[in-house]
Amino acid sequence: MNRTSFTIIVLALMCTWEAAEAQDHRHHSITLAGGMSYLAHQDIIHTPFVHGGMSPISFEITYRREGARWVHFATGRYSAHASQVGDSFEIDHGDHGHNSLPHGFLFLDAGYGIGRTVTQGRLHRASAGLSVRADIQAAFYRFGAEENFGYFINPGLNLWYSRSNRLSPRSALRAHVEIPVVSWLARSPYLVNDDDFIENISSNDRLKTVFAFLADGSLVTWDRLQRFDAGVDYTLSLARQVSVGASYRFAFTRSTEPRALIAYRSSLHLSTTFNL
Amino acid sequence: MKRSSHSIFAIVIATFLLAGCEGLFLPQPASDPEAIFEDLWKSFDEAAANLEERQIDWNALYAHYRPMVTPATTDDQLFTVLTGMLAHLDDSHVSLTAPHQPYFNANRVYREQIDKDLFDLEVIRENYLGAGFTRGHRYLYGEIIGRNIGYIYFGTISAETMARLPEMLNKYPHASGYIIDLRQNNGGNHTFAFDAMGRLTDRSRYVFKSNTKNGPGRDDYSPWREWHLKPSGRYTDRPIAVLTDRYTPSAAERMVMAFKTLPNATIIGDTTSGTHGTKIPQELANGWFYALSVQKVEMFDGRSYEGIGLAPDVLIRNQKAEVRAGKDRTLEAAIDLFE
């Protein structure tokens, strides 16, 4: 599949949404969630070690629009982690010194999905559809006086399935799983920075640099990039307009080129939903 | 109800099971002294470029140093063994950092700070520049007192410092010549230098080519990539003197290579560091850090000067006593060039 086909699919997705909108009674909601996130991340390009741990910096915002037949959602997620091998120590440069710092990992994920109700009963609803999602990971590897920048940029088209069950008149449980169909992957080069990397950062403009990194990527399918995103949400309605809840998210990534990257993130959030 | 609940719980349980799968990861290096030695040696074996250019028999060094490391080796002893092995590379891009140890640079000149006191920027600022100089983080430029000569010093090759070159050219557009001082420079990114030097060339000039290790085999390199100095902005053909010393490394040396393509540029001072490939840092299981060079570079003449350095057109070294007395002999040679 080439870039043109990929673009056509995305545009078709958006046109389908527009048509669906005209025929559904809609329920809108915005959910704000925050909490803890656990990361285990091994990127052989930069280090052979598994980095990560628990972080209190994990946020998510979700907009959902549900009708009798159509569902669509937009989500944004952010989490930040710090990790290092051993403890920080002072680096002796003779006439000056400074402490070693941990590596920093930032995860930014944004997506839009549309789907249709597959089955529906009095107490349950299952939906399935397509989504476009961009996963951007920035890593700041700090090795004493030196630093590497690592990137993983992965926009793509996913299949998703969601099932919700009403547990009581005021509470519900929803599970959601998403896997990629095809995506574009841009990662740091084999040994962190090669000539293409040096040229990509030469503009000294962050946006231009990101697009330069993206341009050096390639189209990938499941054989080259394995990803799995799943989540469970519990909600309890406090009033007609407001619900509270808890959610669990799990994201798994495995890529082999140019070198192995294996990572997963588990996030536990408390949430508030505003029904519009 | 039961079947739908089962579906949800199946997804939940599968998720939690996957969340506990530490076995998915590749084996991590161990932290005992022997494993640390093996990890460091193997990393250089697979990723270091220029072992041939520096005439290093890496296998022989393994045979010599490996027996010195046992399970009982202390941190201090291990540091001594590893730095002893790395010192053979004599590469200023190779380093080892450990707690309670001085920062180790594999290049002897850097490590022993040989002739480090033969350059003092304050001597230049106080004794050679007029009052209207401009100074910032890692750069200084002004006009040589009593001469119509522009001078600029770069302490690093960055977007911020390289932006000062066109500033200086604009401030002294009628200078009889320009002195560009790259002594005791930290290196950086040569693309910023090449962009800034666009005004110094009237046509595209091939400067060097480079390639990067992209596999564990000794011959696993990316294709060669050529770098050119390209014209941009208002061209100036004034004479240029470029000042160098043994502490002119990396991106600063690539900048010197670019000046060597200009017919109106003269390199004055001492031979440069001889460290041309990019470097990457890494970490060991005991929390120590190291860095190594992963690129080969060949200058426009088809030769590699890795480990050798770029010789100046005019060899001059400052004298310690003269610098203490406020005299910079190398700078004065550059000033005399424009007479």
Side-chain angles (χ1 to χ4, degrees):
Chain A
M1 183 185 295
N2 56 24
R3 288 191 211 189
T4 306
S5 305
F6 184 81
T7 307
I8 290 171
I9 288 172
V10 170
L11 289 172
L13 203 66
M14 294 171 72
C15 292
T16 305
W17 164 55
E18 287 293 338
E21 282 297 288
Q23 301 179 28
D24 244 358
H25 295 289
R26 298 182 289 276
H27 169 69
H28 311 249
S29 66
I30 289 181
T31 302
L32 304 174
M36 307 286 292
S37 180
Y38 178 84
L39 171 71
H41 184 275
Q42 183 185 43
D43 189 343
I44 302 296
I45 287 175
H46 300 278
T47 172
F49 301 103
V50 179
H51 282 284
M54 200 66 77
S55 166
I57 306 173
S58 181
F59 305 102
E60 182 175 334
I61 179 168
T62 304
Y63 169 76
R64 286 184 74 87
R65 189 186 305 204
E66 297 190 43
R69 283 176 293 174
W70 294 95
V71 174
H72 71 96
F73 57 85
T75 63
R77 292 182 211 153
Y78 174 80
S79 67
H81 301 259
S83 174
Q84 63 188 65
V85 175
D87 300 320
S88 288
F89 60 90
E90 185 174 1
I91 297 162
D92 179 4
H93 272 287
D95 56 346
H96 66 280
H98 61 90
N99 281 343
S100 63
L101 295 172
H103 308 314
F105 301 89
L106 302 180
F107 295 86
L108 187 63
D109 180 292
Y112 162 74
I114 182 171
R116 197 177 164 115
T117 301
V118 173
T119 64
Q120 187 168 6
R122 191 171 60 85
L123 296 174
H124 84 277
R125 178 179 181 174
S127 314
L130 293 173
S131 65
V132 288
R133 186 173 294 284
D135 181 10
I136 300 172
Q137 301 177 16
F140 304 90
Y141 289 94
R142 301 182 179 104
F143 303 100
E146 319 287 346
E147 187 169 313
N148 282 349
F149 173 71
Y151 63 91
F152 175 99
I153 308 173
N154 180 222
L157 184 69
N158 295 350
L159 278 170
W160 62 265
Y161 173 83
S162 173
R163 186 178 184 101
S164 60
N165 264 61
R166 185 162 294 282
L167 303 177
S168 73
R170 292 171 57 207
S171 65
L173 192 68
R174 176 167 56 227
H176 179 102
V177 63
E178 206 163 321
I179 57 171
V181 176
V182 63
S183 63
W184 187 263
L185 177 60
R187 277 186 70 191
S188 295
Y190 180 87
L191 273 177
V192 182
N193 52 15
D194 60 5
D195 291 320
D196 284 339
F197 179 89
I198 291 168
E199 186 166 36
N200 287 343
I201 64 174
S202 66
S203 69
N204 209 35
D205 178 310
R206 282 183 189 168
L207 204 55
K208 278 187 187 171
T209 300
V210 169
F211 280 108
F213 287 153
L214 261 176
D216 282 344
S218 61
L219 215 56
V220 294
T221 49
W222 187 259
D223 58 327
R224 289 174 58 194
L225 173 70
Q226 296 87 49
R227 295 199 58 158
F228 174 80
D229 288 84
V232 179
D233 297 86
Y234 170 78
T235 54
L236 175 68
S237 174
L238 297 181
R240 197 168 67 85
Q241 291 91 2
V242 179
S243 304
V244 293
S247 61
Y248 173 75
R249 297 280 178 265
F250 178 76
F252 172 78
T253 303
R254 181 176 176 273
S255 167
T256 52
E257 292 175 22
R259 300 178 88 173
L261 178 146
I262 303 158
Y264 71 82
R265 255 182 308 150
S266 284
S267 309
L268 197 58
H269 293 159
L270 296 176
S271 61
T272 304
T273 301
F274 301 95
N275 301 308
L276 307 174
Chain B
M1 170 69 170
K2 262 193 178 177
R3 283 172 72 180
S4 55
S5 295
H6 288 166
S7 303
I8 290 190
F9 284 122
I11 293 174
V12 170
I13 288 169
T15 303
F16 275 105
L17 281 174
L18 273 168
C21 277
E22 297 292 340
L24 292 168
F25 297 103
L26 298 178
Q28 301 177 75
S31 59
D32 61 276
E34 290 177 306
I36 295 289
F37 181 95
E38 295 287 343
D39 185 22
L40 183 78
W41 184 89
K42 184 166 179 265
S43 181
F44 274 80
D45 187 52
E46 293 182 349
N50 302 307
L51 293 177
E52 308 92 68
E53 286 79 356
R54 291 182 178 272
Q55 297 167 352
I56 300 295
D57 185 341
W58 197 237
N59 291 335
L61 289 177
Y62 179 94
H64 178 74
Y65 286 95
R66 177 62 180 88
M68 299 181 190
V69 181
T70 71
T73 299
T74 65
D75 280 352
D76 285 348
Q77 291 165 340
L78 182 62
F79 187 83
T80 301
V81 171
L82 294 180
T83 54
M85 183 171 69
L86 295 178
H88 289 270
L89 295 165
D90 199 26
D91 183 343
S92 68
H93 274 168
V94 172
S95 62
L96 185 65
T97 308
H100 315 300
Q101 300 288 351
Y103 173 84
F104 172 82
N105 188 303
N107 177 268
R108 191 174 74 89
V109 169
Y110 277 78
R111 190 167 66 250
E112 297 177 15
Q113 303 272 278
I114 296 171
D115 291 340
K116 185 81 171 171
D117 49 4
L118 296 186
F119 171 81
D120 187 337
L121 190 61
E122 295 310 306
V123 164
I124 295 173
R125 184 188 64 78
E126 290 171 8
N127 301 317
Y128 293 93
L129 293 188
F133 65 85
T134 302
R135 187 170 202 172
H137 181 62
R138 308 308 307 249
Y139 69 87
L140 167 72
Y141 70 84
E143 190 175 39
I144 300 293
I145 297 172
R147 312 291 177 96
N148 186 20
I149 298 171
Y151 167 90
I152 187 163
Y153 166 77
F154 295 114
T156 188
I157 311 298
S158 67
E160 198 208 346
T161 58
M162 288 298 108
R164 310 305 148 205
L165 179 56
E167 263 181 29
M168 187 272 288
L169 297 176
N170 288 337
K171 192 169 181 181
Y172 310 108
H174 305 296
S176 57
Y178 300 106
I179 298 172
I180 296 174
D181 198 340
L182 297 175
R183 292 177 290 176
Q184 303 211 358
N185 186 287
N186 276 355
N189 184 329
H190 75 273
T191 60
F192 300 134
F194 283 25
D195 284 345
M197 289 174 67
R199 284 190 55 184
L200 304 180
T201 183
D202 56 346
R203 60 180 175 86
S204 180
R205 299 175 190 269
Y206 169 52
V207 179
F208 71 89
K209 65 180 182 180
S210 56
N211 61 5
T212 314
K213 285 284 307 196
N214 65 356
R218 288 283 171 91
D219 296 323
D220 289 339
Y221 284 87
S222 65
W224 285 106
R225 190 232 167 88
E226 294 185 350
W227 297 90
H228 297 258
L229 182 62
K230 294 177 183 169
S232 71
R234 184 162 38 99
Y235 171 57
T236 176
D237 61 353
R238 304 276 188 231
I240 298 169
V242 183
L243 309 186
T244 62
D245 64 7
R246 294 301 305 196
Y247 295 90
T248 305
S250 195
E253 285 186 279
R254 294 180 177 195
M255 196 173 177
V256 173
M257 290 182 188
F259 277 114
K260 280 185 173 284
T261 69
L262 301 178
N264 55 325
T266 305
I267 317 298
I268 299 174
D270 202 350
T271 304
T272 62
S273 175
T275 314
H276 303 151
T278 54
K279 73 174 173 182
I280 59 162
Q282 296 277 288
E283 59 188 354
L284 294 166
N286 57 0
W288 297 4
F289 308 116
Y290 64 97
L292 69 164
S293 182
V294 298
Q295 273 198 331
K296 287 187 191 291
V297 171
E298 285 182 10
M299 204 168 70
F300 56 81
D301 60 0
R303 293 181 179 178
S304 168
Y305 293 89
E306 185 74 32
I308 301 169
L310 304 172
D313 300 312
V314 179
L315 176 64
I316 289 197
R317 287 198 189 96
N318 285 354
Q319 302 295 314
K320 207 177 294 187
E322 288 178 344
V323 173
R324 278 202 221 106
K327 177 184 167 79
D328 189 310
R329 178 187 289 228
T330 307
L331 177 60
E332 290 185 2
I335 292 169
D336 292 342
L337 187 73
F338 301 122
E339 293 292 287

